[in-house]
Amino acid sequence: MAEVLNLPQGIAGLLAIMAKLRDRDGGCPWDLEQDFASIAPYTIEEAYEVADAIDRNDLGALKDELGDLLLQVVFHARMAEEQGAFAFDDVVAAISDKMVRRHPHVFGEASVEDSQAQTVVWEELKRREREAAGETDSSALAGISRGLPEWQRAVKLQKRAAAVGFDWPAVDPVIAKLHEEIDEVRVEFEAVAAAPDDAAAQARLEEEIGDVLFVCANLARHGKVDVGAALRRANLKFERRFRAMEMLAAQDGLSLAELPLEGQDAYWEQSKRDERGDG
């Protein structure tokens, strides 16, 4: 296609395509209307599409999704170039310099024992970079982006705290804390039920549910389980079983929406049995 359009091959061709899309004279109206803020949600979405392709072990889809994610980088770089801020080559140079700088054991004379030791070195190098950039926040939690998905930010906060010794020594106290937080959620649900128009009660409920989610993230961290991957797996399992419920009901000439909860639950249990192969 690039040859048909008389475009260069490789990344140069992609950069030329984006430049044409953003051309005020004959470009794409939608692309011309975009800015950093409007494109950011698409960038996040494409990153999740990459993760989904990896979860499904679909290398064909992974190739396509990585292309979509690369396009997001090219799009942002093009808009920055139009403003005279930086261009795609500057993005490449910056990440190349960073990778060399943060891997002195590969590109220099330093040495590390294992991946865990490398993680410690990596965080120390990042801290020094922040200091060199003039940042004055000396907290162990400094530099954790507020733009991360909150579950991911929770894990990063916990890891940073653990690095200075503020952590549960084993999983049992984490589970105990989870039970404690669930009990507190029950109390706040009762408070909201007693006063449904009480904004303060609703705020307390939100806070306690947040505490439960935070502890769940901590539990996953202690189990070396990726929270996002675990939740994606749970979502896929629920979707698979719910769709099976719909099919089972349809085979009986029924619609799930017409059934009481007890009837729906019977199909749910059947879908689980069928999935296990003991139905």
Side-chain angles (χ1 to χ4, degrees):
M1 179 60 73
E3 294 176 354
V4 173
L5 298 175
N6 196 29
L7 293 171
Q9 297 295 305
I11 190 64
L14 181 57
L15 294 172
I17 289 170
M18 179 51 65
K20 179 62 177 176
L21 291 172
R22 292 280 296 181
D23 190 345
R24 296 291 173 184
D25 183 17
C28 172
W30 185 89
D31 289 275
L32 286 166
E33 290 177 356
Q34 306 312 307
D35 56 24
F36 295 115
S38 67
I39 290 298
Y42 295 100
T43 308
I44 295 170
E45 179 180 344
E46 295 301 347
Y48 277 108
E49 294 290 345
V50 168
D52 177 62
I54 293 171
D55 281 347
R56 293 184 284 107
N57 195 29
D58 188 337
L59 295 183
L62 179 59
K63 178 193 68 176
D64 291 340
E65 298 301 345
L66 286 171
D68 291 343
L69 184 58
L70 175 59
L71 179 64
Q72 298 301 306
V73 178
V74 169
F75 207 140
H76 285 288
R78 179 63 196 179
M79 291 187 291
E81 184 176 1
E82 292 167 0
Q83 297 179 19
F86 59 82
F88 181 81
D89 285 347
D90 299 310
V91 175
V92 173
I95 190 59
S96 297
D97 290 345
K98 182 184 293 184
M99 288 299 98
V100 172
R101 186 172 64 249
R102 291 188 181 176
H103 292 82
H105 57 294
V106 175
F107 302 102
E109 300 301 322
S111 62
V112 292
E113 295 179 1
D114 51 31
S115 60
Q116 185 173 359
Q118 166 56 18
T119 299
V120 173
V121 172
W122 180 276
E123 291 297 334
E124 175 61 19
L125 289 170
K126 287 171 64 178
R127 185 190 65 78
R128 293 178 186 175
E129 288 172 5
R130 291 194 298 269
E131 287 183 352
E135 293 187 22
T136 58
D137 188 353
S138 59
S139 170
L141 306 180
I144 299 177
S145 173
R146 295 185 181 275
L148 292 170
E150 293 301 334
W151 64 263
Q152 189 174 357
R153 190 162 188 271
V155 172
K156 282 185 173 289
L157 289 167
Q158 294 161 7
K159 285 183 176 179
R160 289 285 190 87
V164 297
F166 189 69
D167 194 13
W168 278 296
V171 70
D172 287 345
V174 186
I175 294 175
K177 184 64 175 177
L178 179 58
H179 285 293
E180 176 187 327
E181 295 296 350
I182 290 173
D183 288 340
E184 292 178 5
V185 166
R186 288 196 182 98
V187 171
E188 297 307 331
F189 262 111
E190 291 172 0
V192 169
D197 296 327
D198 186 346
Q202 185 65 40
R204 290 195 303 272
L205 176 60
E206 179 182 290
E207 181 177 347
E208 295 301 340
I209 290 177
D211 289 345
V212 168
L213 295 173
F214 191 83
V215 175
C216 284
N218 219 330
L219 188 64
R221 181 177 64 85
H222 274 263
K224 295 181 172 56
V225 170
D226 181 87
V227 181
L231 188 54
R232 281 194 298 274
R233 178 173 291 187
N235 287 341
L236 288 170
K237 180 167 62 176
F238 177 84
E239 181 179 7
R240 184 174 65 246
R241 290 178 177 176
F242 189 87
R243 289 180 180 274
M245 288 170 59
E246 292 176 317
M247 291 179 61
L248 290 168
Q251 289 170 5
D252 292 338
L254 299 171
S255 168
L256 282 182
E258 300 171 349
L259 296 171
L261 181 58
E262 293 80 5
Q264 293 178 339
D265 194 54
Y267 281 117
W268 174 262
E269 292 300 325
Q270 184 177 345
S271 71
K272 290 168 60 178
R273 291 193 300 272
D274 291 347
E275 192 173 89
R276 293 193 301 263
D278 58 0

